[in-house]
Amino acid sequence: MNLVKVIEPLLSTWGYKQDAGDWDIQLPAAFVCSSSKEQKKAYCTAITITLDAFSSLIKAYKISILSMSNSGCKGNTVIFEHQHTEDYEDYIARVFKAIDNYSNEIYEIEIKFDLHAYIYTKENYDKPILSWVRYVEKSIAIGEFNISISTEDDEPYIGFRIEHTLFYPSSLQNNNEDNTELFELNQPLLEKALKNWEKKFNSEIEADGLTGVYKYGYLPQDQW
């Protein structure tokens, strides 16, 4: 599927929750770089492997290159958005070309994405449907990857973050409202993607977030 229709979720039992989940992978030695050329190649490889590992769950729609300023701090940001009429593979190729031609030192690459998960909608408020979804709130991305591969650091890593309770057994935003139905449908999707990710990089995932978080998503409440 190259072009996806993204629909609006009904926030009935899940919603925005800051730092709901954070899964990090320390990249292997092959991603340690000593030159800009190696760094750019490593970024493209890390993006390819990550998007492949999560292909059943996410599609990138906004990829940003963050540069390093002369003072050594985060500088300018160049954003590449997936156009509705653009083939997805062409979009990724366009981003890779931009990375390869980027003239400044790259500080970080961020990937915001759509999720393919079970949600409630206005038309299906009592029965979840599997669909592509983008926003928890209009101004908040449903999740992102942060990739850091520096030519001056031998600890490159990727972080995968979400700020919602779509995969969680309860919704903290809505007085701990029961979210078991969505949890039981969506947690296996998240678990599969995280296991793929860990396997492809052959690197252990470290997890942080809400109570019950573990390296492959969230545990059911009776296992907390």
Side-chain angles (χ1 to χ4, degrees):
M1 180 186 299
N2 291 320
L3 303 179
V4 300
K5 180 182 179 181
V6 180
I7 67 173
E8 191 76 18
L10 183 65
L11 305 181
S12 53
T13 59
W14 66 282
Y16 173 72
K17 178 66 179 74
Q18 188 174 9
D19 301 323
D22 187 339
W23 295 268
D24 295 324
I25 275 188
Q26 193 78 39
L27 294 175
F31 288 86
V32 176
C33 303
S34 59
S35 69
S36 175
K37 183 177 180 180
E38 289 180 354
Q39 181 199 39
K40 292 173 179 178
K41 182 178 179 180
Y43 268 120
C44 292
T45 301
I47 292 170
T48 298
I49 293 173
T50 296
L51 293 181
D52 183 57
F54 282 82
S55 61
S56 62
L57 183 66
I58 72 103
K59 275 191 179 293
Y61 75 86
K62 183 187 292 185
I63 300 177
S64 303
I65 303 174
L66 287 69
S67 65
M68 188 80 77
S69 68
N70 292 333
S71 63
C73 299
K74 190 183 297 186
N76 295 328
T77 300
V78 181
I79 299 172
F80 303 89
E81 293 198 48
H82 182 212
Q83 303 302 310
H84 180 66
T85 57
E86 183 179 26
D87 185 271
Y88 187 70
E89 284 71 25
D90 289 344
Y91 167 59
I92 301 302
R94 176 162 64 91
V95 172
F96 286 172
K97 183 177 180 179
I99 292 173
D100 189 52
N101 293 330
Y102 199 68
S103 58
N104 297 329
E105 181 180 351
I106 299 175
Y107 173 82
E108 186 178 82
I109 288 181
E110 294 179 351
I111 303 173
K112 298 189 186 302
F113 51 78
D114 299 324
L115 273 174
H116 194 227
Y118 287 91
I119 60 168
Y120 300 109
T121 67
K122 291 179 180 179
E123 294 76 22
N124 299 274
Y125 61 87
D126 59 350
K127 183 177 177 58
I129 62 168
L130 183 63
S131 180
W132 288 97
V133 58
R134 178 166 297 179
Y135 294 114
V136 171
E137 294 180 4
K138 289 295 184 183
S139 60
I140 299 171
I142 203 165
E144 68 178 25
F145 292 99
N146 303 91
I147 309 175
S148 177
I149 303 173
S150 173
T151 56
E152 300 177 358
D153 185 359
D154 60 359
E155 295 185 349
Y157 75 91
I158 304 180
F160 167 62
R161 295 172 178 82
I162 59 171
E163 296 192 341
H164 56 81
T165 54
L166 179 57
F167 303 106
Y168 202 62
S170 62
S171 175
L172 279 70
Q173 183 175 336
N174 298 304
N175 299 316
N176 292 317
E177 186 173 358
D178 180 68
N179 198 38
T180 301
E181 186 171 29
L182 288 182
F183 166 73
E184 291 180 346
L185 290 169
N186 286 323
Q187 165 55 29
L189 306 180
L190 177 61
E191 178 179 335
K192 177 184 176 183
L194 288 168
K195 285 183 175 180
N196 284 342
W197 197 40
E198 186 178 60
K199 181 179 180 181
K200 286 179 179 295
F201 281 112
N202 192 28
S203 184
E204 191 85 6
I205 291 175
E206 294 185 5
D208 190 21
L210 294 171
T211 301
V213 70
Y214 81 120
K215 68 176 186 174
Y216 300 134
Y218 298 100
L219 297 169
Q221 288 181 295
D222 60 5
Q223 295 182 31
W224 291 1

